[in-house]
Amino acid sequence: MVEPKSLHAAQVFPSGRTLAPFFDLPPLFTLSAVGVAVVVAVVVAVVYLCCYLCCVLCCALCSALMDAYIDSIARGETDVNPSRQLSICEYVRERDGETRNIFQLFCECNQVDATLENFVTNGKVPTSSTLQHIENDISDRIRVPWLGGAVKINLWFFIMPLLLTLEGWCAASFTAPRTVSFLFNAVVCWHSIRVMNTAETARSHMHLQFTGWSIGQVIHQCYTTLSQAQVYRWQDGVGVFVAASAFLSYCYLRNSDPGVLSSMAPPLQSNKRALAAHYVQHSTHRAKYCQISHSGVARYDHFCIWVGRPIGKYNHKWFLLFCASVCVGGGLFWWTVGGGGDGGSGGGGGNGSGSTYGDVVATRCLMACMGTCGLLLRQTWLISNGLTSYENLHCVALKEAGWKHTQRTGWQQVLCDGAQIKETK
């Protein structure tokens, strides 16, 4: 009797590479093809059953708690006045300012239900505007109880690591993981250009979470490399310093003031001529009203979707530090882990680190290095010529509105003006 052929990890991934998206995965056990199929079917069935039971229990729990919450409102024990102090499970809904409870997660989902029903029954693909409204609504519902009101967690915080893990699995299934990673990152870059067409789509946190999780991947890979290294090299120390600089500058950009002018009102019209005239009216501060963040920003440069903040007078230098850290750190990571340094095995375009995970992260770092290098060169030219990105892009319309290039923004102003203006703001 001929025994069935066993299926080993090396046959599943012919390239001999291993995969560890966010943790080290153990090698596949030696099983027959039928055994692998049975195991996969059982795992899928168990996961589906667990997800179904969790959804049923969550719905039952939310329904019971919501009934108790509504009863307390009817009895007058709970005040729903938005001006009062919010409890740890309450929040103010963004679209209408009503006070809501986190246990109302599955309430009033009419738009989501209608969109899904039209797509399944009629094959009607939802528009980008509809998807953006659904994303904002779901993100506004996902909250964590906190003192003074529940804190919002964006939907892409959960979706992005799944997409990055899917990228790793797809890369491990082919003999050219770098090509798969390049295509994935190219799609992300192409989508970043599309979302900037409107202010509504630019508010999506997709690219913001992509940046944060990508930095987390680099830190994880650096930690794994250093924990397994027997001899530390100079690249390791520089890599840790640059990775820390990128992470800290990213966090600071997310929480810092770009130079918001609270007294600045939005323009009455949104056409190019009206926006240029509005900018000329506030030429003293070189301020522009950002339609994406709904705020006026002094010395407005641009809105960066990769950090989710407008770049202005106070955080311009931190943006340059972030770009420099990503440029240097990305190039160094690619050279040592996936390229031609001592940590790589195949030169600049060779076989890399031998790990699919390392090759995927190294490819992303190389593309980030090239992109931020071009951005730094452009920023260097603009600052040296006393221009912002907005002024350079809309120079013709601004000159027609009466704008004159008299205030020069040199390097000294970019690096030092933040502290000086904060004293007189």
Side-chain angles (χ1 to χ4, degrees):
M1 181 176 180
V2 179
E3 296 190 8
K5 295 182 179 180
S6 61
L7 185 63
H8 197 263
Q11 294 173 285
V12 178
F13 302 122
S15 60
R17 300 173 182 270
T18 58
L19 174 65
F22 289 98
F23 47 85
D24 294 329
L25 296 178
L28 295 178
F29 297 102
T30 303
L31 297 173
S32 63
V34 177
V36 172
V38 172
V39 170
V40 172
V42 171
V43 171
V44 171
V46 171
V47 171
Y48 177 80
L49 180 61
C50 292
C51 293
Y52 178 77
L53 292 177
C54 289
C55 290
V56 171
L57 292 176
C58 289
C59 291
L61 178 62
C62 291
S63 177
L65 294 174
M66 200 61 238
D67 290 341
Y69 180 70
I70 295 175
D71 291 341
S72 65
I73 295 176
R75 292 192 301 267
E77 299 175 358
T78 302
D79 184 14
V80 293
N81 185 7
S83 61
R84 67 179 176 84
Q85 181 70 24
L86 297 176
S87 67
I88 60 173
C89 292
E90 293 180 332
Y91 65 95
V92 178
R93 190 162 58 183
E94 292 182 352
R95 72 168 185 246
D96 53 15
E98 291 187 3
T99 301
R100 310 292 287 177
N101 195 287
I102 60 174
F103 298 111
Q104 294 175 285
L105 174 64
F106 299 104
C107 299
E108 301 179 10
C109 301
N110 299 332
Q111 185 178 15
V112 179
D113 295 339
T115 303
L116 184 60
E117 183 178 0
N118 289 332
F119 177 73
V120 174
T121 59
N122 304 325
K124 183 179 180 182
V125 179
T127 62
S128 58
S129 177
T130 303
L131 292 176
Q132 187 63 38
H133 281 298
I134 293 176
E135 176 191 338
N136 296 335
D137 189 36
I138 296 178
S139 298
D140 195 31
R141 294 167 182 260
I142 304 176
R143 301 272 180 163
V144 176
W146 199 256
L147 297 176
V151 179
K152 182 174 70 171
I153 300 179
N154 192 269
L155 178 64
W156 284 104
F157 179 81
F158 305 98
I159 297 179
M160 188 52 63
L162 298 178
L163 293 178
L164 295 179
T165 304
L166 179 62
E167 175 202 10
W169 281 107
C170 293
S173 303
F174 297 91
T175 57
R178 292 188 178 185
T179 303
V180 176
S181 180
F182 173 79
L183 294 176
F184 176 83
N185 291 280
V187 170
V188 174
C189 295
W190 169 78
H191 187 262
S192 68
I193 299 175
R194 289 202 60 184
V195 298
M196 290 302 294
N197 291 333
T198 62
E200 184 178 15
T201 56
R203 298 189 188 101
S204 174
H205 282 209
M206 172 185 172
H207 299 86
L208 166 66
Q209 297 298 334
F210 177 82
T211 304
W213 282 105
S214 297
I215 294 176
Q217 281 186 318
V218 174
I219 295 177
H220 170 264
Q221 183 66 19
C222 289
Y223 172 77
T224 303
T225 303
L226 292 177
S227 62
Q228 298 175 354
Q230 297 180 352
V231 178
Y232 295 102
R233 304 159 299 174
W234 66 268
Q235 297 99 319
D236 299 329
V238 176
V240 170
F241 174 77
V242 174
S245 299
F247 175 74
L248 294 177
S249 57
Y250 170 80
C251 294
Y252 187 85
L253 282 171
R254 281 295 304 150
N255 300 280
S256 63
D257 176 21
V260 175
L261 301 176
S262 56
S263 60
M264 185 175 180
L268 300 178
Q269 299 178 354
S270 58
N271 58 74
K272 184 179 295 187
R273 182 174 299 180
L275 293 177
H278 189 265
Y279 183 83
V280 172
Q281 292 176 1
H282 300 84
S283 58
T284 303
H285 299 285
R286 302 175 74 179
K288 178 188 180 296
Y289 189 86
C290 180
Q291 301 288 348
I292 303 175
S293 60
H294 295 298
S295 59
V297 180
R299 204 171 68 207
Y300 178 88
D301 191 81
H302 70 285
F303 184 91
C304 180
I305 61 174
W306 303 102
V307 298
R309 298 285 286 177
I311 306 302
K313 198 174 193 66
Y314 296 166
N315 64 353
H316 200 169
K317 56 186 176 183
W318 298 103
F319 175 74
L320 296 176
L321 174 62
F322 172 73
C323 292
S325 301
V326 172
C327 180
V328 176
L332 184 63
F333 185 91
W334 175 80
W335 179 256
T336 56
V337 176
D342 295 335
S345 61
N351 296 326
S353 61
S355 167
T356 300
Y357 178 56
D359 287 343
V360 167
V361 178
T363 303
R364 184 156 30 251
C365 287
L366 176 61
M367 297 182 67
C369 172
M370 296 171 61
T372 51
C373 179
L375 182 59
L376 281 174
L377 292 176
R378 174 178 170 80
Q379 286 286 318
T380 301
W381 181 84
L382 290 173
I383 295 174
S384 301
N385 288 274
L387 292 170
T388 64
S389 298
Y390 178 77
E391 292 171 348
N392 181 68
L393 185 62
H394 302 278
C395 182
V396 176
L398 291 174
K399 288 183 177 180
E400 292 177 354
W403 174 74
K404 296 182 180 180
H405 184 206
T406 56
Q407 298 182 0
R408 299 186 60 82
T409 307
W411 285 99
Q412 184 177 1
Q413 289 180 313
V414 171
L415 300 178
C416 304
D417 262 2
Q420 296 176 358
I421 293 180
K422 282 184 178 179
E423 298 176 359
T424 60
K425 183 179 177 182

